[in-house]
Amino acid sequence: MGSGQWIMEKRSSLRNDSFSRDNDNVPEAGCLSIIVLGASGDLAKKKTFPALFNLYRQGFLQSNEVHIFGYARTKISDDELRNRIRGYLINDKSAPGQLEQLSEFLQLIKYVSGSYDTEEGFQLLDKEISAHESSKNSLEGSSRRLFYFALPPSVYPSVSRMIKKCCMNRSDLGGWTRIVVEKPFGKDLDSSEKLSAQIGELFEEPQIYRIDHYLGKELVQNLLVLRFANRMFLPLWNRDNIDNVQIVFREDFGTEGRGGYFDEYGIIRDIIQNHLLQVLCLVAMEKPVSLKPEHIRDEKVKVLQSVLPIKDEEVVLGQYDGYRDDPTVPDHSNTPTFATAVLRIHNERWEGVPFILKAGKALNSRKAEIRIQFKDVPGDIFKCKKQGRNEFVIRLQPSEAMYMKLTVKQPGLEMSTAQSELDLSYRQRYQGVTIPEAYERLILDTIRGDQQHFVRRDELKAAWEIFTPLLHRIDDGEMKPLPYKPGSRGPAEADELLSKVGYVQTHGYIWIPPTL
């Protein structure tokens, strides 16, 4: 099959056929109700409903078995909700066939208005869901209910109580009730544990899906395959060959109207403690005994429990000039918009290898990547050490790619060397394949009951244990962010820290995504 002839096959089944499951003998369940709580908010409009529409368009959600319910405090009609989200689902250039699918999809959506902390609205919601289930002739105990919390965490406990009291489904014939909760899961260890306890009193762990959309990204999902299905990486992936690992998130814009919200959390809580730390787990974990979700999550927890306390001298904080000009940000805000932190994993594989987590806003580029830098070649007979080290780079976004940076002979009559790359750029290799959005994958996983790409409670606790002491020192004003100019690389001290822990920057080489 040629590189330009990859085809994405439509799938009508909601079951994951890739790997056998323990519950393969459970009969196919009845109709599916997806309830989007906070349906009138930005997250629902921009992420949740578009993901559901794409799943419907690809055949993963069938009109004869699924119905979607929006629930929020706003008093609007079914058609008003449909009109609000229509523009986020399709654009002016969409094919006529998509417009027909859009019309069909919107008819699957019903809206219910109600409070998040009183029974009346949730009783009405349950009545509407039950009516849908009856119309599909679902046996009691076979229907499936998925509640998606597109809500601020402050209302998670009250909403969870209302669902438990008014909207639970019998599950004796293969049915289930599941909840999907968005980050942030608290602000530190204590608040996270309190939130986990409140939800844990009402739902069992297999019913709770803590979503981190980074775990749904194509290149992040490729990490386990890359590491454990390729013999060439097995002997290299350790402290004997790898000098340092960088996991980087950069944005070229500031808070842009979200200053008040962002100031409450900061870059470490918003990006590093969850997204980048999850990626670190997949880079550093040992091979699980199988691909069952619990075996994978067990290995991730072991990594987190092996991380040593973060040293203040291995942290650089920054805040871009102009951040406090936002009227929603306090004049004396100490919230970092940039952070570089070095994590050390105390185990046999990674002892002595710095894992550098770096994230920032208003920088000179937009990208997210994993950069694994190898040690120098001993006995450098070509005198090419100054040109740079071998690096394996996994570009998560944009322009998804994997490339190996290596030294080669410069073409010509002279024996001179240069830096080049072995490149797998997805846009070039997989022409015609649309890479699914992270939310599409993760919502599909919740329907299938696959928790591999969701955060388990003990995993969440271990992550907060790593960062809570540092966050408290920042909150108490003991650590101050350094100013940096918008459009720069961030504080110069961050580059100095990277050099100090062993990262060697390559000068004169720039990776250019190949053109089609």
Side-chain angles (χ1 to χ4, degrees):
M1 183 179 289
S3 64
Q5 297 175 330
W6 290 80
I7 298 171
M8 180 171 284
E9 184 179 341
K10 269 196 174 183
R11 299 287 300 278
S12 60
S13 170
L14 288 175
R15 298 183 62 193
N16 187 341
D17 298 320
S18 301
F19 311 112
S20 60
R21 299 285 182 211
D22 290 341
N23 61 352
D24 278 349
N25 295 323
V26 174
E28 188 67 27
C31 68
L32 171 65
S33 299
I34 300 175
I35 303 94
V36 181
L37 301 152
S40 59
D42 275 357
L43 176 62
K45 289 187 294 188
K46 295 177 180 178
K47 296 295 183 182
T48 315
F49 283 116
L52 292 172
F53 176 57
N54 285 330
L55 289 174
Y56 174 79
R57 201 166 49 80
Q58 296 171 65
F60 289 103
L61 299 179
Q62 297 289 312
S63 58
N64 62 351
E65 67 173 7
V66 69
H67 207 74
I68 300 167
F69 298 86
Y71 184 91
R73 289 182 289 225
T74 311
K75 295 186 184 301
I76 54 175
S77 67
D78 295 350
D79 284 338
E80 284 175 309
L81 176 62
R82 293 165 185 160
N83 289 333
R84 283 188 180 198
I85 66 175
R86 183 187 301 271
Y88 294 94
L89 307 183
I90 210 161
N91 57 46
D92 295 336
K93 299 178 182 178
S94 299
Q98 280 196 7
L99 294 173
E100 185 178 336
Q101 287 179 317
L102 175 64
S103 179
E104 294 169 358
F105 174 76
L106 291 174
Q107 291 308 306
L108 298 176
I109 299 174
K110 184 170 183 61
Y111 183 75
V112 177
S113 174
S115 170
Y116 294 128
D117 56 3
T118 59
E119 294 180 23
E120 184 180 358
F122 284 89
Q123 288 170 345
L124 178 59
L125 177 62
D126 181 64
K127 182 179 177 182
E128 295 288 353
I129 298 171
S130 298
H132 159 64
E133 293 168 349
S134 298
S135 71
K136 299 297 182 184
N137 298 317
S138 280
L139 293 173
E140 189 175 358
S142 70
S143 298
R144 298 163 291 165
R145 297 184 177 187
L146 177 64
F147 292 86
Y148 194 106
F149 288 34
L151 297 164
S154 58
V155 299
Y156 286 178
S158 63
V159 170
S160 298
R161 284 193 298 272
M162 292 301 106
I163 293 171
K164 183 71 173 179
K165 191 165 188 177
C166 305
C167 300
M168 291 297 287
N169 186 32
R170 277 179 53 186
S171 58
D172 51 327
L173 292 176
W176 43 255
T177 302
R178 294 172 184 153
I179 64 170
V180 182
V181 292
E182 280 273 356
K183 79 169 185 76
F185 312 116
K187 293 186 67 175
D188 57 12
L189 178 60
D190 288 344
S191 60
S192 174
E193 280 290 279
K194 182 180 178 181
L195 186 58
S196 291
Q198 289 172 323
I199 296 175
E201 289 173 355
L202 303 167
F203 297 97
E204 300 293 329
E205 187 66 23
Q207 295 177 289
I208 304 169
Y209 289 71
R210 300 175 189 87
I211 194 169
D212 184 326
H213 76 270
Y214 254 59
L215 291 176
K217 289 186 176 294
E218 179 70 37
L219 271 294
V220 174
Q221 296 211 333
N222 202 355
L223 278 170
L224 291 190
V225 179
L226 191 71
R227 286 193 55 197
F228 302 124
N230 294 287
R231 180 64 184 259
M232 63 182 288
F233 287 120
L234 295 178
L236 297 178
W237 215 267
N238 54 51
R239 63 191 178 93
D240 296 330
N241 298 287
I242 293 174
D243 188 273
N244 59 80
V245 177
Q246 279 193 73
I247 304 171
V248 178
F249 173 92
R250 304 167 68 92
E251 286 182 336
D252 55 4
F253 54 88
T255 53
E256 296 192 346
R258 292 177 64 245
Y261 168 83
F262 181 85
D263 196 73
E264 192 178 341
Y265 293 96
I267 198 72
I268 295 177
R269 289 183 175 97
D270 196 37
I271 302 295
I272 295 179
Q273 183 273 337
N274 37 69
H275 300 330
L276 301 195
L277 197 58
Q278 285 295 316
V279 174
L280 178 147
C281 288
L282 295 172
V283 171
M285 64 183 270
E286 298 297 320
K287 182 189 285 187
V289 297
S290 79
L291 287 168
K292 291 180 180 177
E294 294 315 307
H295 290 156
I296 292 171
R297 300 201 291 182
D298 286 345
E299 296 302 332
K300 290 168 67 181
V301 171
K302 289 178 188 177
V303 171
L304 294 173
Q305 291 174 339
S306 301
V307 175
L308 297 172
I310 300 172
K311 298 176 182 178
D312 287 358
E313 60 267 26
E314 293 193 327
V315 176
V316 172
L317 306 175
Q319 186 185 91
Y320 67 83
D321 294 336
Y323 169 71
R324 298 179 196 173
D325 294 344
D326 186 324
T328 62
V329 173
D331 292 339
H332 302 288
S333 171
N334 197 52
T335 300
T337 60
F338 174 98
T340 296
V342 178
L343 271 58
R344 308 274 183 174
I345 300 174
H346 181 54
N347 65 18
E348 184 179 10
R349 181 181 294 271
W350 296 115
E351 185 77 36
V353 178
F355 281 74
I356 304 157
L357 306 188
K358 181 165 66 174
K361 290 183 172 292
L363 298 176
N364 60 349
S365 63
R366 173 183 172 264
K367 68 178 179 181
E369 69 179 20
I370 306 161
R371 184 174 294 267
I372 297 161
Q373 187 171 85
F374 292 87
K375 293 187 174 182
D376 290 325
V377 175
D380 178 20
I381 61 173
F382 293 103
K383 303 292 187 280
C384 57
K385 180 178 177 180
K386 63 185 178 190
Q387 290 179 340
R389 292 171 166 172
N390 294 150
E391 291 183 349
F392 181 45
V393 181
I394 303 169
R395 173 70 73 99
L396 306 180
Q397 67 180 34
S399 304
E400 291 91 344
M402 292 183 282
Y403 61 94
M404 178 72 81
K405 197 169 74 176
L406 68 172
T407 302
V408 299
K409 177 185 175 296
Q410 185 83 34
L413 297 176
E414 300 294 330
M415 180 55 76
S416 57
T417 60
Q419 289 268 302
S420 189
E421 70 280 323
L422 300 176
D423 192 320
L424 170 59
S425 289
Y426 273 49
R427 199 176 351 176
Q428 185 183 50
R429 180 67 179 89
Y430 303 112
Q431 295 178 30
V433 174
T434 301
I435 295 178
E437 284 289 327
Y439 281 93
E440 294 173 41
R441 299 178 189 276
L442 297 176
I443 291 173
L444 188 58
D445 281 346
T446 63
I447 298 169
R448 290 170 165 170
D450 185 349
Q451 290 188 303
Q452 174 183 334
H453 302 114
F454 295 83
V455 182
R456 200 168 65 189
R457 181 173 175 177
D458 58 339
E459 189 180 344
L460 178 63
K461 180 181 179 183
W464 277 118
E465 285 174 340
I466 293 168
F467 280 99
T468 291
L470 171 64
L471 288 167
H472 283 177
R473 291 195 292 275
I474 297 170
D475 293 342
D476 294 340
E478 296 174 24
M479 299 183 70
K480 301 286 187 182
L482 301 167
Y484 65 94
K485 294 188 180 303
S488 68
R489 287 177 50 86
E493 289 82 352
D495 287 335
E496 293 168 9
L497 174 61
L498 263 62
S499 178
K500 182 180 176 183
V501 300
Y503 173 68
V504 177
Q505 188 172 356
T506 302
H507 296 284
Y509 168 87
I510 299 175
W511 176 71
I512 301 173
T515 56
L516 300 180

